[in-house]
Amino acid sequence: MPFVEINGLEFFKFDLLGDEVVQAVFTRKGGVSPMPWDSLNLGGTVGDSRENVIENRRRIFEALGIEVTSIFDVWQIHSDMVLYSDKPRPLDHPHEKADAIVTNNPSVTLLMRFADCVPILLFDPVHRAIGLIHAGWKGTVQKITSKTVQFMQESFQSKPADILAGIGPSIGVDHYIIKEDVAREVAETFGNKVGEVLQAANGDIHFDLWRANEILLREVGVKSIQIAQQCTACDLKRWFSHRAEQGKTGRFAALIKLRPS
């Protein structure tokens, strides 16, 4: 499996995205937070101390050899909002609200936080642009993934066929049970492909977020896609899972940054 360990921290790395970007989806290992956020918690609104989160953030940037002052992150709200930034967010400035962020500036590190929702990393090696998406069920049915690709087309002249996409660690279909009202929204979005993303088992409805976001990517022309095949609810020693831990857990970080050309 494509896991890397540096300074006691462990992260997943997509082979597909290559070496032109710095990219990582960090596990929960190697931080300073106590239970139930043990230990590399990057979530600032889950009850952990601010000091712990800041130290954990420092550690992940140090492990990758990049400056924490390069960060651009947002307040994630389960929307279909996409933001472009050509500069970092000053650490003492408030967050803007969005669930997808893009840049073409090598001085900017895109970062988002997860605990079951899908991290999706995008890289256009031709026009040298990157994107990072937070796709829970709400973002998925609002097609935030395809909207981010379209945003990159408009902003950077990216061609979807050139874009490389990594669908990261998140809750797998076996553990992701949804209610009938959510299933109806899924059916409205995916139409005749709904059978590929919804499964029935023991009277429950399961939603396959990995396949759903793969479909959205392919529908807008993205061809090169790698799925991590890492279920957060299956491996609590490695990942935070909001569902499997009944909400008493932390958030792991995914980030991507262009290397200077």
Side-chain angles (χ1 to χ4, degrees):
M1 293 185 294
F3 282 93
V4 178
E5 186 170 330
I6 300 175
N7 298 342
L9 278 63
E10 181 188 53
F11 59 89
F12 181 94
K13 185 176 179 181
F14 290 98
D15 297 328
L16 177 67
L17 300 184
D19 295 325
E20 292 184 62
V21 294
V22 179
Q23 44 108 1
V25 184
F26 281 90
T27 71
R28 65 191 295 166
K29 301 177 182 180
V32 299
S33 298
M35 293 178 63
W37 314 285
D38 50 317
S39 62
L40 193 66
N41 169 48
L42 274 296
T45 61
V46 295
D48 194 7
S49 75
R50 184 171 182 269
E51 291 76 16
N52 288 341
V53 175
I54 290 172
E55 172 59 18
N56 289 337
R57 184 179 65 189
R58 185 196 67 78
R59 291 188 179 198
I60 68 172
F61 277 80
E62 180 182 66
L64 296 175
I66 53 182
E67 296 292 331
V68 69
T69 51
S70 69
I71 191 171
F72 182 75
D73 55 349
V74 290
W75 189 274
Q76 298 160 213
I77 56 173
H78 296 280
S79 69
D80 64 348
M81 294 176 60
V82 185
L83 280 184
Y84 163 75
S85 184
D86 63 355
K87 57 187 177 182
R89 176 186 67 84
L91 295 177
D92 59 349
H93 282 208
H95 295 80
E96 297 181 72
K97 295 179 179 179
D99 287 275
I101 46 183
V102 300
T103 192
N104 59 351
N105 185 349
S107 298
V108 174
T109 301
L110 304 179
L111 182 144
M112 302 187 93
R113 300 162 178 86
F114 302 86
D116 280 338
C117 295
V118 189
I120 301 170
L121 284 66
L122 303 175
F123 173 44
D124 173 3
V126 176
H127 294 89
R128 290 188 51 79
I130 53 174
L132 182 58
I133 304 168
H134 166 254
W137 78 260
K138 289 183 179 180
T140 299
V141 300
Q142 293 178 84
K143 297 188 175 183
I144 189 170
T145 303
S146 46
K147 289 175 181 177
T148 306
V149 173
Q150 291 163 350
F151 192 98
M152 291 177 70
Q153 287 180 271
E154 296 166 3
S155 300
F156 313 122
Q157 290 72 56
S158 295
K159 294 180 180 178
D162 294 331
I163 292 176
L164 311 175
I167 296 176
S170 49
I171 195 164
V173 63
D174 289 349
H175 287 93
Y176 195 35
I177 298 171
I178 60 172
K179 296 181 179 179
E180 290 187 5
D181 58 336
V182 175
R184 285 193 293 270
E185 293 194 46
V186 173
E188 289 177 10
T189 295
F190 290 93
N192 60 10
K193 293 184 178 179
V194 68
E196 298 182 43
V197 301
L198 292 184
Q199 300 177 11
N202 300 318
D204 293 320
I205 306 169
H206 294 248
F207 186 17
D208 189 341
L209 287 170
W210 302 346
R211 178 61 180 145
N213 283 285
E214 181 186 12
I215 288 171
L216 294 175
L217 287 166
R218 295 199 185 280
E219 283 182 345
V220 290
V222 177
K223 298 178 180 179
S224 299
I225 303 168
Q226 181 182 354
I227 300 176
Q229 301 288 345
Q230 293 284 315
C231 174
T232 47
C234 283
D235 190 355
L236 297 180
K237 290 184 179 179
R238 179 167 268 157
W239 306 109
F240 296 115
S241 172
H242 181 79
R243 286 220 170 185
E245 298 176 280
Q246 291 80 49
K248 296 178 181 179
T249 192
R251 299 292 184 269
F252 61 85
L255 60 78
I256 185 168
K257 178 185 182 295
L258 288 166
R259 294 189 190 277
S261 56

